[in-house]
Amino acid sequence: MFVFSVLFMASLRAQNPREDLELLSKLLRPSRPPHAGRINAQDQTWEDWVKRTGELPPDFAAMPSNAFLPDPLVAREDGQGVRITTRAQWDRQRRWIRAQFEQWVFGRMPPAPDNLRVAKTTESREGNVTIRDVLLEFGPGHRAKLNLQVMIPDGKGPFPVFLTNHARERSPWVHTAVSRGYIACHYQATDPAYGRPDDSETFIEAYPDYDFSCLARWGWAAARAVDYLQTRPEVAKHQIGVAGHSRNGKQALVAAAFDERIGAAIGSSGLQGEALPHRYTSDMFVNESIQMVTEVYPHWFHPRLRFFAGREHKLPVAPGWCSCCGRRGAWPKGPPCLCLVGRVSLVLKVPRREDGLSDATRCAEVDLPLTFLALSPLSAASSP
C-alpha cells in the first residue's frame, strides 16, 4: 500500500517518465536474479535491463485510468470507448489485445517455425500405456530444442490430449488424464527448480530478436508441442487442452491465448497474471503484487510490467483477456476456448505431502475439470 500511495500521489503531480523511473528505483527493492541466472540473453535483473536499454516508463498522464476491470468488448477510438458490435471490429480489437499483452506483459513472441523436426524418438511400455520420448528441434539453425514425453493409452484413437509442463514424477495429473482416456503430453519447459532442465532457455539464443519473457517462452513451447501433436494419427487434433498449476497456470493461459488450436485451458492457483487481475493484487489483498512478483521472479513477465507497480489502474489489459485473444474467445460464433482459471480442487481429508498438497488433492484438481470437459456441451471441435 505504501508503494501504491506514494506513486499515486506522484501521478497527481504529473511527473515525467524519467522522474517516474527514478521514483520506482528508490521505492522498489532490487529484483533478484532468477534460478536460471538471467531474465534474457543480456540481463540478470530488471535493473540490468533498465541500464542497458535506457527504456523509460510510459507517459502515464496520457494513458486512461480504470480502477475496475476494463471491458474487452469496448475499444478506444479517439479517446472514447466504442462498443464492439461487429466481427470486423472484434478482429481489430483482438489484434490490439495481443499487441498490448506483448508490449506490456509478456514480450514479443516469434512466429511458428517452419522447420520443426523430430530429432530423436524412443518408445517403451508401462502397463497398458505407450511412453514416447521425443526431441524436437526448430528455429534458426535448429538451435531451439524441446523434449516431449507423450503417454498414449491402449485403445482405438484418435484420443483427446491433456497437455502440461508438469512432469509425471512430480504430479499425478497426467496419470489421471491417461486413466480417463486422454493422451498426456508433457513438454519440458518450466522452472528448473522443479528438477528438470528448462528447454525454453534454448529459445533465447535461437531467437535473439524477440524479447519474450519466461512465461511467454513456456506458453510458446506448448504451441511447439501442438505442432508435433498435429502430425500424429492417434491425436484428435481439435481436442487439445492445456493445464498448469501456479506459475504453470499462468503459462497455460498464455498458451491457449496465443495458439487457437488449443481448445481448453485449466489454470490452478495461478494468482496474478492468470485468475487475478493485476489491479487487485496489491499488498492490501495479501497476494502477488506487481512489485513483489517482478522483484522475486523478474523473468516471468516482461520488464515493462514493473513500470506499472503502483499504477496498476493504467494497464490497458487484464489477464482474463488472454482467454479471448484467439478467434474463439469472446465472439459468439467463433469456436469457444474454455478457460477454468483459479484453484479447482476438492478438500479431502487425507495425509499431506511435504509440499502441503496430498496426492489425492492434486488428482482432484484436474479430475473435476476433466469431468466438466467430458460433460460439456461444447462442440467436439473445441474441447475434449
Side-chain angles (χ1 to χ4, degrees):
M1 281 299 292
F2 172 75
V3 172
F4 174 81
S5 299
V6 173
L7 288 171
F8 178 74
M9 294 304 295
S11 68
L12 297 180
R13 297 196 297 272
Q15 292 186 310
N16 63 46
R18 188 166 299 281
E19 291 173 329
D20 285 336
L21 178 59
E22 292 173 356
L23 185 60
L24 270 178
S25 300
K26 290 177 182 178
L27 289 176
L28 301 184
R29 291 183 296 193
S31 64
R32 310 173 192 175
H35 192 278
R38 60 181 182 173
I39 63 173
N40 55 43
Q42 296 87 18
D43 309 309
Q44 290 186 309
T45 64
W46 180 80
E47 290 76 15
D48 293 340
W49 174 82
V50 169
K51 182 178 180 180
R52 178 179 61 84
T53 63
E55 190 155 339
L56 297 173
D59 182 1
F60 289 115
M63 300 180 77
S65 299
N66 192 341
F68 303 101
L69 289 180
D71 187 343
L73 293 179
V74 173
R76 292 197 67 83
E77 297 179 7
D78 300 323
Q80 302 295 319
V82 177
R83 173 64 58 178
I84 293 173
T85 58
T86 69
R87 182 55 186 264
Q89 287 177 309
W90 171 242
D91 286 342
R92 289 195 299 272
Q93 177 76 342
R94 179 170 57 90
R95 290 191 294 270
W96 180 84
I97 290 173
R98 284 187 174 184
Q100 294 299 301
F101 270 110
E102 289 190 293
Q103 172 69 16
W104 302 116
V105 184
F106 296 120
R108 196 163 62 95
M109 300 178 222
D114 59 4
N115 64 343
L116 184 141
R117 69 187 182 192
V118 175
K120 183 180 179 181
T121 302
T122 60
E123 285 192 1
S124 61
R125 292 282 295 175
E126 293 186 15
N128 59 352
V129 178
T130 298
I131 309 296
R132 180 184 299 148
D133 292 295
V134 180
L135 173 61
L136 302 179
E137 296 178 340
F138 48 88
H142 289 98
R143 295 196 300 273
K145 304 182 186 303
L146 181 64
N147 283 279
L148 309 179
Q149 186 169 80
V150 186
M151 290 142 272
I152 309 166
D154 284 347
K156 182 180 179 181
F159 302 100
V161 177
F162 179 84
L163 184 65
T164 185
N165 58 351
H166 289 275
R168 61 182 176 137
E169 63 267 20
R170 288 190 61 91
S171 171
W173 280 14
V174 294
H175 305 291
T176 305
V178 172
S179 71
R180 297 290 300 272
Y182 288 69
I183 288 175
C185 178
H186 165 256
Y187 53 100
Q188 191 168 281
T190 188
D191 197 321
Y194 291 153
R196 286 196 177 197
D198 177 10
D199 290 348
S200 79
E201 285 286 310
T202 65
F203 304 172
I204 295 176
E205 277 71 34
Y207 294 95
D209 296 330
Y210 294 86
D211 60 353
F212 50 155
S213 65
C214 188
L215 290 174
R217 295 199 312 269
W218 296 346
W220 196 76
R224 307 291 67 81
V226 174
D227 289 344
Y228 167 77
L229 293 168
Q230 293 283 309
T231 69
R232 301 302 307 171
E234 65 271 16
V235 168
K237 298 175 178 58
H238 299 293
Q239 295 181 296
I240 298 175
V242 64
H245 173 74
S246 189
R247 64 203 66 182
N248 295 329
K250 303 180 201 291
Q251 67 83 36
L253 196 57
V254 175
F258 285 86
D259 193 323
E260 297 178 7
R261 299 169 298 177
I262 297 175
I266 303 169
S268 164
S269 295
L271 301 182
Q272 182 194 147
E274 183 232 38
L276 300 181
H278 300 290
R279 288 163 173 77
Y280 304 144
T281 54
S282 59
D283 295 340
M284 66 179 292
F285 296 101
V286 194
N287 213 318
E288 288 180 340
S289 62
I290 287 181
Q291 59 263 33
M292 185 280 283
V293 79
T294 58
E295 171 199 335
V296 181
Y297 306 108
H299 59 314
W300 281 2
F301 298 99
H302 193 278
R304 292 190 191 101
L305 183 62
R306 192 164 168 88
F307 289 148
F308 290 86
R311 292 219 176 83
E312 292 84 356
H313 62 299
K314 293 289 187 177
L315 268 172
V317 291
W321 285 21
C322 266
S323 63
C324 56
C325 274
R327 249 182 331 108
R328 58 224 187 302
W331 199 250
K333 292 191 177 180
C337 174
L338 177 63
C339 290
L340 302 177
V341 293
R343 188 175 182 79
V344 180
S345 63
L346 303 177
V347 179
L348 304 175
K349 294 185 180 296
V350 290
R352 292 277 173 175
R353 293 158 46 114
E354 290 183 1
D355 59 8
L357 285 177
S358 68
D359 284 335
T361 302
R362 286 176 177 269
C363 286
E365 283 180 346
V366 71
D367 192 60
L368 185 58
L370 286 176
T371 300
F372 183 85
L373 290 175
L375 298 175
S376 173
L378 295 180
S379 68
S382 61
S383 74

